[in-house]
Amino acid sequence: MVNLIRAELAKLLGLPTAWIGLAVGSVVAPLLAVLNAGAVRAAIAAGRYEFSADLAYSSIQIVMLGGLILGVVTVSSEYTPTSDDAPGARQITTTLLAEPRRCRLLAAKAIVLVLVVAVQGTVTAVVTLLVVEHEHGGTYPPAEPARVAGAVLEWVLLSLLAYALTLIFRNGIVTLTLLVVNSGVVSVSWLLMKVTPLAAYLPDVVGKHMYLSDLGDVRIHPVVAGAVLLGWVVGLLVLAARLFERREA
Amino acid sequence: MITIDGLTRDRGKTRILHEVTFRARPGRVTGFLGPNGAGKTSTLRLLLGLDRPRAGTALIDGRPYAAWDRPLTVTGALLDGSGAHRSRTARAHLRWVATGNGLPRSRADEVLEIVGLTADAGKRAGKYSLGMSRRLGLATALLGDPRVLILDEPINGLDPAGIRWMRGFLREAAAEGRTVLLSSHLMGELAETADDVVIIVAGRVVADGTLAEVVAGHPSLEDAFLAHTAGEGTSW
């Protein structure tokens, strides 16, 4: 299993698209914190910013995109045609010949994803918080390690969610459109929350309760939020694994 | 030894393999011959555990492919294309495959040398020509120094020098005691290389024996093949 994990790690980090994910996650968040500093400072001065601890965590939300990209790429790269000469040929054939036990393969990929996203998320979150601290001379209430852990946990779980969805769709574009558009442009879940408060338990929004305090009318305890997101992820992973076991490569 | 017994497979409502049964023995090159669409690749994919049969078994040295730990050390397979992600270099591709099967990373350079790709080891697989892709696929198959080789249309895309090299390579592998099973729709090629021949037409094995047995009564393997496929409306 150790060999398998090492192979999957080399495979993931050998992809240029994976480095795009890592770069998006690691560089953009601290950069945004710096760029936004002026506007945020003005808002605080004018008394329009109640939860200044959230200003750090709001700017690190973008790190999530890096994890999503990694979760997608680790699967979609398997299904990319290897060349124009052989449109049916894909890396997944090599992967399954090297490790025909499919559940072990999925587990190894998941472990690698968790490791990479956790390391990247922790480093980026700490750097971004330090930037915010430097720009604004601290936050109120002060930044707590538990909230950083909550944020990193959300990204890890969301990357696993992207991984499971891409396994189900066998197509990275569908997952990326679903998750990125939903989180960045128009959130269907936020719109649904206007209709029913239960929408706050949808997987793309519930995790935010682990580290953001100002999330509209619905209050969900961080532990409950984490458990709900974990439930979504486990459910979708089980479905994805069953499909992957049964489908032909 | 490859043992295939009663392999049956459906695609949708169509039965594409009808109780396919044959053996490929160590120390011999077994040619799996048939027109395009006859079921050669389908049979090999079932043998490699990539697809699931409706009925029947396909075993490699007595066990299904997926039951082998570190399977590349037992079986090497070449299917369509290079099997490498197009943005990876040949060397990087071979290294992750080697790592996953507990093989030293240095094996990557050794197999690149065997297939003559050393000079292009740092090139991205997506930039490879068809012939180079086949060589990279073969290099991947050889990583674990396997005693069983399963090759689907290995000479497709090779130039004349490459075809000659492949013929010599396959003969040598059999001489070393390995089991070599290769599919082809090129009869002239198989007549030069194979010891045993299995002919499959429309998902059914119609002839199985040594090259001499299958050719017996016909001027050439091509004539024997055409006699077996007569009336099947082959597409080529």
Side-chain angles (χ1 to χ4, degrees):
Chain A
M1 191 69 184
V2 175
N3 283 333
L4 191 56
I5 291 170
R6 283 175 56 215
E8 286 299 327
L9 187 64
K11 231 162 123 179
L12 181 61
L13 297 183
L15 288 170
T17 30
W19 286 98
I20 294 175
L22 286 170
V24 166
S26 313
V27 180
V28 175
L31 204 65
L32 276 183
V34 174
L35 292 176
N36 273 333
V40 170
R41 230 179 267 133
I44 295 173
R48 281 185 282 114
Y49 219 105
E50 279 182 59
F51 297 94
S52 65
D54 273 4
L55 76 91
Y57 298 104
S58 295
S59 45
I60 56 178
Q61 280 190 77
I62 191 120
V63 181
M64 170 191 83
L65 286 181
L68 292 183
I69 293 173
L70 290 171
V72 167
V73 160
T74 188
V75 179
S76 64
S77 61
E78 297 283 357
Y79 292 99
T80 311
T82 53
S83 73
D84 304 329
D85 297 327
R90 296 155 308 166
Q91 183 185 267
I92 187 74
T93 311
T94 312
T95 301
L96 287 175
L97 288 178
E99 179 49 70
R101 287 163 295 186
R102 298 184 182 193
C103 274
R104 267 170 65 102
L105 175 67
L106 289 189
K109 276 185 176 292
I111 290 169
V112 166
L113 190 60
V114 167
L115 285 175
V116 174
V117 175
V119 169
Q120 180 225 12
T122 308
V123 170
T124 314
V126 170
V127 169
T128 311
L129 289 177
L130 290 176
V131 168
V132 168
E133 191 128 347
H134 176 259
E135 293 290 328
H136 303 289
T139 55
Y140 178 80
E144 305 145 44
R147 290 229 269 170
V148 175
V152 173
L153 185 61
E154 194 216 10
W155 303 328
V156 167
L157 289 173
L158 284 179
S159 73
L160 287 172
L161 189 81
Y163 170 60
L165 289 176
T166 314
L167 277 170
I168 292 169
F169 297 129
R170 283 191 286 191
N171 183 320
I173 307 294
V174 177
T175 317
L176 273 182
T177 310
L178 209 66
L179 292 177
V180 174
V181 170
N182 196 50
S183 66
V185 186
V186 185
S187 168
V188 175
S189 307
W190 283 112
L191 294 177
L192 275 176
M193 274 159 73
K194 308 277 180 209
V195 182
T196 164
L198 283 178
Y201 291 89
L202 288 170
D204 59 324
V205 285
V206 70
K208 312 249 178 283
H209 290 274
M210 289 193 279
Y211 64 102
L212 291 178
S213 50
D214 188 18
L215 274 170
D217 306 333
V218 187
R219 300 254 167 213
I220 301 173
H221 190 275
V223 175
V224 176
V228 171
L229 181 54
L230 183 68
W232 278 105
V233 169
V234 170
L236 285 168
L237 276 177
V238 168
L239 174 66
R242 293 184 72 159
L243 286 173
F244 188 68
E245 269 287 317
R246 226 177 281 167
R247 275 174 181 164
E248 312 212 311
Chain B
M1 167 89 118
I2 295 169
T3 321
I4 293 178
D5 272 309
L7 219 48
T8 298
R9 173 163 154 74
D10 298 334
R11 185 174 288 146
K13 287 184 177 161
T14 318
R15 179 144 297 182
I16 55 166
L17 291 179
H18 302 260
E19 298 183 24
V20 169
T21 301
F22 68 89
R23 308 271 179 273
R25 294 175 176 80
R28 299 180 73 81
V29 175
T30 303
F32 192 29
L33 185 61
N36 292 329
K40 300 186 296 293
T41 303
S42 298
T43 304
L44 299 186
R45 288 179 61 88
L46 291 175
L47 175 58
L48 295 166
L50 293 169
D51 300 336
R52 308 241 185 287
R54 183 181 174 86
T57 54
L59 306 177
I60 292 165
D61 285 349
R63 296 161 72 177
Y65 183 88
W68 287 99
D69 202 26
R70 300 170 69 216
L72 299 188
T73 59
V74 179
T75 305
L78 170 68
L79 294 174
D80 203 11
S82 66
H85 190 276
R86 49 170 81 206
S87 68
R88 241 185 270 286
T89 66
R91 186 182 280 122
H93 171 70
L94 290 166
R95 280 186 175 166
W96 78 251
V97 179
T99 303
N101 266 250
L103 300 163
R105 282 156 60 92
S106 57
R107 269 302 281 168
D109 287 313
E110 290 171 26
V111 291
L112 284 165
E113 176 84 44
I114 296 174
V115 302
L117 279 179
T118 302
D120 297 297
K123 211 167 164 179
R124 294 189 192 281
K127 304 263 180 220
Y128 270 25
S129 69
L130 184 55
M132 289 161 81
S133 294
R134 302 302 284 164
R135 284 169 184 266
L136 176 54
L138 183 65
T140 315
L142 298 179
L143 269 175
D145 193 19
R147 56 182 183 267
V148 176
L149 284 171
I150 298 168
L151 314 171
D152 193 15
E153 304 272 2
I155 61 168
N156 265 12
L158 295 185
D159 55 20
I163 292 174
R164 168 172 280 198
W165 176 86
M166 179 65 81
R167 197 183 294 151
F169 170 81
L170 294 172
R171 293 293 344 149
E172 198 180 317
E176 289 165 356
R178 297 178 213 262
T179 305
V180 181
L181 173 62
L182 72 141
S183 78
S184 183
H185 63 282
L186 302 170
M187 288 152 288
E189 188 48 43
L190 274 194
E192 299 255 356
T193 321
D195 303 299
D196 299 320
V197 176
V198 178
I199 299 180
I200 184 170
V201 178
R204 285 190 171 85
V205 171
V206 295
D208 177 10
T210 65
L211 183 63
E213 286 167 1
V214 171
V215 174
H218 304 280
S220 68
L221 179 59
E222 184 171 294
D223 291 291
F225 177 77
L226 291 173
H228 283 297
T229 57
E232 288 293 339
T234 52
S235 56
W236 47 286

